Amino acid sequence: MTETNTDRFARTRLLLGKEAFSRLCGSRVTVVGIGAVGSYTVEALARAGVGSLRLVDFDCITASNINRQLLALESTLGATKVSTAAARIAEINPACEVQADELFCRNETLERILTPPPDLLIDAIDSLNPKTDLLEAASRRQIPVISSMGAALRTDPGAIRNGDLFSSTGCPLARNVRRRLRRRGIDSGIASVYSIEPSAGGIGGQEEFTEKGRGRNILGSLSTIPGIFGLTIANMALLHLAGIKKLSIEKG
């Protein structure tokens, strides 16, 4: 590691210890979904010294992203999220190996996304079908994963929790994902971040369409809660990768 890199990560190394920090530098993490939650997760992982980051997202940055996505600026409108994130990581830690994949997560691309298997997979997808497919694939390949549940329609940071997806409460997205995974024979072992706060409402009745033609409701969201979700996921990831604290998963 160069002297410059030694300096930029000195405080992380002082807190975690040399051996744990070395594990971070050797870790490979794949993040699927570089939006409101995923952008903050990627930022924190890069600033902690994670050695390899694979970024997966098919979307481009739009003006509607500015209220809650770290990468969304006037200067980045129209750019792909993965290329923008990769350029930002290079400014944070040039030594980090970054693979930017402009891919839509679906059954046809899962093998590519999960090959080679990362040390940790982070699911920050906001669409139910791709999220379920990704979590099933990771579970069957025994890839450790942290999955973000619904951060939209929430206002209370004190209601954010982490633990096994199958023990979570209060999140409609988590409930739907659990139901679908159980139908596929999976009923434990997926770490998640979720909120126990009831949804605040505010589904605007508008519908936007992705490049793949799938319609989805536009959900109200603050600039704060998705970022807290993302940083919570990053904190769990860093402690897991450093060998300090296992993921909060209740088996059974």
Side-chain angles (χ1 to χ4, degrees):
M1 181 175 292
T2 66
E3 184 177 349
T4 302
N5 263 15
T6 299
D7 290 342
R8 79 181 68 207
F9 299 121
R11 291 173 185 261
T12 305
R13 191 174 60 257
L14 282 170
L15 177 63
L16 300 182
K18 185 177 179 179
E19 185 176 339
F21 177 66
S22 179
R23 293 192 193 100
L24 285 185
C25 293
S27 295
R28 296 174 294 109
V29 180
T30 295
V31 183
V32 184
I34 316 297
V37 173
S39 60
Y40 280 89
T41 300
V42 168
E43 177 91 359
L45 296 178
R47 290 187 181 276
V50 169
S52 176
L53 290 168
R54 187 175 184 184
L55 316 175
V56 181
D57 197 307
F58 76 99
D59 214 351
C60 293
I61 297 168
T62 66
S64 66
N65 300 146
I66 288 177
N67 87 306
R68 69 201 184 285
Q69 297 190 19
L70 187 64
L71 302 172
L73 306 167
E74 187 69 25
S75 61
T76 62
L77 293 179
T80 64
K81 292 178 180 178
V82 291
S83 65
T84 304
R88 187 174 176 95
I89 293 167
E91 294 288 333
I92 295 168
N93 178 17
C96 181
E97 295 180 2
V98 180
Q99 180 175 337
D101 289 332
E102 190 178 341
L103 285 174
F104 186 81
C105 181
R106 54 184 175 180
N107 279 322
E108 294 82 355
T109 59
L110 287 174
E111 187 66 30
R112 180 176 170 186
I113 290 170
L114 298 177
T115 305
D119 297 314
L120 180 66
L121 171 70
I122 292 172
D123 156 42
I125 302 173
D126 59 6
S127 297
L128 180 58
N129 288 334
K131 177 181 285 289
T132 305
D133 291 342
L134 179 65
L135 293 177
E136 179 190 10
S139 178
R140 299 205 185 283
R141 289 167 173 78
Q142 297 185 320
I143 297 172
V145 59
I146 305 174
S147 180
S148 175
M149 294 297 119
L153 304 177
R154 269 77 180 192
T155 61
D156 182 7
I160 297 171
R161 301 286 187 271
N162 69 82
D164 194 323
L165 167 65
F166 295 92
S167 300
S168 64
T169 59
C171 177
L173 176 59
R175 182 172 61 249
N176 285 323
V177 172
R178 284 196 305 272
R179 183 182 298 124
R180 291 180 178 224
L181 287 174
R182 282 178 174 138
R183 289 173 184 164
R184 304 180 191 191
I186 298 168
D187 60 5
S188 68
I190 296 174
S192 68
V193 173
Y194 59 95
S195 174
I196 61 173
E197 177 187 9
S199 298
I203 298 177
Q206 295 175 302
E207 192 172 36
E208 64 179 3
F209 289 85
T210 70
E211 291 181 13
K212 303 300 179 182
R214 292 172 169 80
R216 61 186 179 190
N217 286 320
I218 300 174
L219 305 179
S221 180
L222 292 178
S223 60
T224 50
I225 302 300
I228 297 172
F229 264 64
L231 292 175
T232 300
I233 290 169
N235 195 73
M236 293 168 64
L238 292 172
L239 296 180
H240 169 75
L241 293 167
I244 293 173
K245 185 177 181 181
K246 294 181 179 181
L247 295 178
S248 300
I249 301 172
E250 298 176 5
K251 297 291 184 180

